[in-house]
Amino acid sequence: MLPERSRRDIILKLALPIIAGMLSQSLLNLIDAALVGSLGEIALAGVGIGGYAMFLITAMVFGLSSGVQAQTARRHGEQDWQHRAIALNAGLVIALAVALPLMLLCLWQAPRLMWLINQDPQVNQIAVEYFRWRVAGLIPVAMIFCFRGYWNGIQQTGVYLRIILIMHIVNVLSSIGLIFGYFGFPEMGATGAGAGTTLSLFVGLAIWSVFSIKSAASSGFLMRLPRRETFVATLKLATPHSFQQLWFAAGYAVLFWILGQLDTASVAVGHVLVNLSLFLILPGVGLGVAAMSLVGQAMGREAHNDAHRWGWEVVRVAWVCLGLLALPMMFMPDLVLGLFLRDAELIQMGVVPLQLTALMIVLDAAALVLGQALLGAGANRTVMATTLTMQWLVFLPLAWWVGVVLDYGLIGIWWIQLGYRCLNSLWFAAIWQRRHWQRLVL
């Protein structure tokens, strides 16, 4: 049995590169917004709509990462070294089979998809062009999810960080060049941001492929054909997670629609609050991904008690990390909101909801970590059912009723969200404690 400090060191060693990669991605999105924002409101709105549409489409292949990671971690725990990459092979085939027709459909139907989100012709013209450039990179996105799942599954999370940082450098330089016509690139305006991102994805895919050929061939990468059972297992694990991500993203669209029923100020403040919460929970997500690997490997060793303990060990680390991050929002809400809002009335309007957001981040730790840990055990359907039930049947209906019908506004919606986060974590904790997930076979 490992001492507590050693277990903490293992958790942080796995999670910190993942967290750093996720935070760098969020920072890159802010940089892209700043670059395009210099072109005006219409350009920024068009890129925002195209980016949100791409987020929805990407959700359809997002589950490939957890599908590959869960199986890889299990084989790693079993010390089945020669077959660790078989799930990666299966994931790459599925990625191509799903992403190619989906990409072609989106390229064809891009104008109609953008119109469903926004009806402004000027904004949509930019959104369509930007979205088409972005969706052209859907195949490398899907394949990179598979590679990330494999290397995280064998606890080599530093690989993900190194490669994503290279991709970010390529993205920033190529986007600057393509937006403004620097470095000999054509001047494409706002759509250049989409072309630069897609270029960085293909560069990233090439790096992942070369690195894996050199380092994972002994584990079966591109050396062995997956059996039918591996394809079925990968799809069985990936589909619920992708479905969950798709509807989770759609849930935020509904939340903003509810805020729109209140007033423009609620939408503006709510946008800041949501983005702050999504940014600050990334360490929890990164720790959850580490828990996915640790639980999967313990299950591969048939160390069920150890798998159960890893879940709670990571939750405890997450509580500390998220609690520290939440302190400025709890005790200096005016200063935090002032970084994004200039109107004193809007800042005052957001103070209490931001403090509630700080509590939510900490309370959400158990759901974030144990949800990912359950994915590592193969309980993808349970995670999907729990997440979507809580979001669509509890939070969104109550947010509408309390915020709009009872007229408690933004603050009423955020109190409901606080209760929803509490209930969500309690539910995941109960599932974890029942240990039914230990009976699953991958």
Side-chain angles (χ1 to χ4, degrees):
M1 183 71 69
L2 288 170
E4 185 175 344
R5 181 165 183 176
S6 297
R7 296 172 75 89
R8 245 191 339 260
D9 290 344
I10 291 172
I11 292 168
L12 292 174
K13 183 179 178 181
L14 283 174
L16 287 177
I18 301 171
I19 293 169
M22 289 179 170
L23 290 174
S24 69
Q25 182 63 54
S26 293
L27 180 61
L28 187 64
N29 291 337
L30 294 175
I31 293 171
D32 281 350
L35 291 173
V36 175
S38 66
L39 302 178
E41 292 181 5
I42 293 176
L44 186 59
V47 168
I49 290 167
Y52 178 71
M54 186 61 190
F55 176 58
L56 289 173
I57 298 301
T58 301
M60 297 184 186
V61 296
F62 186 82
L64 286 170
S65 180
S66 61
V68 171
Q69 184 171 340
Q71 295 180 84
T72 301
R74 189 69 66 91
R75 301 292 89 80
H76 186 79
E78 294 168 348
Q79 299 185 0
D80 187 3
W81 314 123
Q82 295 183 340
H83 297 92
R84 289 186 305 180
I86 302 302
L88 171 59
N89 295 340
L92 292 174
V93 173
I94 295 170
L96 182 62
V98 173
L100 179 59
L102 185 58
M103 177 193 71
L104 295 175
L105 177 65
C106 289
L107 289 172
W108 174 40
Q109 292 294 325
R112 184 170 296 180
L113 290 172
M114 296 307 104
W115 184 86
L116 292 173
I117 301 173
N118 179 76
Q119 287 76 46
D120 186 306
Q122 288 183 299
V123 172
N124 269 6
Q125 182 179 357
I126 294 174
V128 168
E129 294 175 0
Y130 176 82
F131 175 72
R132 280 177 166 160
W133 275 107
R134 287 293 306 275
V135 84
L138 186 61
I139 292 175
V141 166
M143 290 186 170
I144 287 171
F145 280 148
C146 297
F147 283 114
R148 188 181 74 181
Y150 171 77
W151 288 102
N152 286 348
I154 62 171
Q155 298 190 10
Q156 298 294 320
T157 55
V159 176
Y160 164 66
L161 176 60
R162 290 194 294 272
I163 294 178
I164 200 170
L165 289 178
I166 295 172
M167 291 171 61
H168 288 343
I169 293 170
V170 174
N171 191 354
V172 170
L173 294 177
S174 59
S175 292
I176 291 173
L178 290 166
I179 291 171
F180 302 108
Y182 297 154
F183 317 128
F185 286 107
E187 184 177 346
M188 298 174 62
T191 56
T197 299
T198 294
L199 175 61
S200 72
L201 288 168
F202 277 100
V203 170
L205 178 60
I207 297 172
W208 277 112
S209 300
V210 171
F211 183 83
S212 298
I213 288 171
K214 290 181 177 179
S215 305
S218 60
S219 295
F221 177 60
L222 300 184
M223 303 298 292
R224 295 178 177 83
L225 289 173
R227 295 183 301 175
R228 178 178 176 275
E229 292 80 2
T230 306
F231 282 110
V232 171
T234 305
L235 285 170
K236 186 178 178 181
L237 292 168
T239 301
H241 198 192
S242 292
F243 188 81
Q244 170 199 331
Q245 275 299 114
L246 179 62
W247 283 98
F248 181 77
Y252 273 101
V254 173
L255 174 60
F256 281 113
W257 178 83
I258 293 172
L259 293 173
Q261 305 307 300
L262 301 173
D263 50 49
T264 303
S266 295
V267 175
V269 176
H271 180 72
V272 171
L273 295 171
V274 167
N275 279 285
L276 279 171
S277 66
L278 290 176
F279 178 77
L280 292 176
I281 64 172
L282 288 177
V285 176
L287 286 161
V289 173
M292 188 192 305
S293 290
L294 293 167
V295 169
Q297 290 175 18
M299 293 293 290
R301 300 192 305 270
E302 297 188 1
H304 291 175
N305 288 334
D306 202 33
H308 179 262
R309 185 182 174 190
W310 274 123
W312 285 118
E313 290 277 0
V314 179
V315 168
R316 280 193 283 272
V317 174
W319 274 329
V320 174
C321 293
L322 298 180
L324 291 173
L325 288 171
L327 289 176
M329 296 194 301
M330 176 61 73
F331 297 107
M332 296 183 292
D334 301 78
L335 291 177
V336 174
L337 289 169
L339 297 173
F340 305 93
L341 301 169
R342 300 293 178 265
D343 190 305
E345 290 186 8
L346 292 181
I347 292 174
Q348 188 58 38
M349 181 181 179
V351 166
V352 174
L354 183 59
Q355 290 173 324
L356 294 176
T357 300
L359 288 175
M360 288 175 209
I361 290 172
V362 180
L363 293 171
D364 213 28
L368 288 170
V369 171
L370 296 180
Q372 295 289 326
L374 286 165
L375 294 177
N380 296 47
R381 291 184 182 180
T382 301
V383 175
M384 177 191 71
T386 301
T387 302
L388 297 185
T389 297
M390 294 300 300
Q391 184 184 28
W392 284 88
L393 299 185
V394 177
F395 170 58
L396 292 174
L398 284 175
W400 161 260
W401 183 58
V402 171
V404 178
V405 177
L406 298 183
D407 199 26
Y408 282 98
L410 179 70
I411 194 167
I413 292 173
W414 249 248
W415 273 110
I416 291 297
Q417 188 170 188
L418 177 65
Y420 147 66
R421 300 281 186 176
C422 288
L423 189 57
N424 198 35
S425 280
L426 287 172
W427 195 340
F428 272 109
I431 293 170
W432 190 253
Q433 286 301 101
R434 291 175 67 189
R435 302 196 186 201
H436 289 178
W437 47 271
Q438 294 183 342
R439 305 170 191 169
L440 298 172
V441 178
L442 296 182

